[in-house]
Amino acid sequence: MKYWLFKSEESVFNICDLLKSPKKTTCWEGVRNYQARNFLRDEIEKGDMVFFYHSNCETPGIAGTAVVTKEGYPDSYAWNDRSNYFDVKSNYKKPIWYMVDIRLKRKFKNIIPLSELRKQTKLKDMKILQKGSRLSVTPVAKEEWSFILTLKR
DNA sequence: GCCAACGTTGGC
DNA sequence: GCCAACGTTGGC
């Protein structure tokens, strides 16, 4: 089992939206970056654990955890021309983009703010904390995962 | 294949 | 709103 961090713009899809989703489950559509796509398509497995991260908001940080319930499959939003995630180059015969399904595991009482993560020496190598890091899907080390859980309040 | 220009991300 | 960092595009 592996660990991941998924970023979502809080105003677009946040952890309360996930909580309210049917079976607290959603497909993680709209990733349009090749490196992140490769993680979704090739590496993320059913049962992997996910930190749900809020970006682009007043307090960016980790809002909770989720579990992968379905492994990588073609992102059909890419061939829906009414979707924001439409990509003319992708089609169902030759899909470019992939998504997984996740189910909410736990919504933290308090968000673990990015500023708090930055203070932790043990997390200095975390992908999300690297300068200029923009990848929306990043691997999390097992040690990072368990350490971050101790930061909850 | 190089690289400048451009659009996007996302913290602050 | 600003702007640094990044990924993509496209001319050459």
Side-chain angles (χ1 to χ4, degrees):
Chain A
M1 183 181 67
K2 285 182 258 176
Y3 302 91
W4 306 92
L5 184 143
F6 286 13
K7 269 196 253 189
S8 183
E9 287 194 48
E10 192 199 34
S11 61
V12 176
F13 189 83
N14 59 50
I15 197 147
C16 292
D17 297 323
L18 179 56
L19 179 64
K20 286 179 284 188
S21 300
K23 298 181 184 172
K24 301 181 188 178
T25 299
T26 187
C27 59
W28 202 257
E29 81 281 5
V31 172
R32 296 292 178 267
N33 167 285
Y34 285 100
Q35 218 181 322
R37 187 280 310 268
N38 293 346
F39 287 139
L40 292 171
R41 188 189 59 185
D42 307 332
E43 296 205 35
I44 298 180
E45 298 181 290
K46 189 172 173 177
D48 283 2
M49 295 299 296
V50 173
F51 278 137
F52 193 113
Y53 179 93
H54 287 170
S55 70
N56 231 324
C57 52
E58 194 174 332
T59 309
I62 298 174
T65 59
V67 60
V68 175
T69 54
K70 185 173 177 181
E71 301 188 358
Y73 60 104
D75 180 347
S76 53
Y77 287 68
W79 52 80
N80 172 0
D81 62 10
R82 298 219 304 256
S83 165
N84 285 337
Y85 304 123
F86 176 67
D87 180 353
V88 70
K89 296 193 294 297
S90 187
N91 61 70
Y92 70 98
K93 284 180 188 160
K94 261 192 155 183
I96 298 177
W97 306 112
Y98 282 72
M99 56 188 177
V100 300
D101 287 356
I102 61 169
R103 185 179 64 233
L104 180 69
K105 196 85 178 175
R106 175 180 282 168
K107 176 180 177 297
F108 295 159
K109 200 176 301 170
N110 304 108
I111 216 165
I112 305 174
L114 176 63
S115 57
E116 196 61 36
L117 302 175
R118 286 202 190 285
K119 288 182 197 160
Q120 310 300 327
T121 324
K122 287 184 177 167
L123 299 179
K124 65 174 168 37
D125 293 330
M126 236 190 129
K127 291 277 189 320
I128 195 89
L129 302 181
Q130 306 309 306
K131 193 173 176 184
S133 161
R134 299 194 331 195
L135 254 196
S136 64
V137 174
T138 49
V140 173
K142 189 180 193 333
E143 300 72 29
E144 293 167 345
W145 177 274
S146 16
F147 179 70
I148 288 169
L149 289 179
T150 69
L151 300 175
K152 281 187 295 142
R153 271 176 298 180

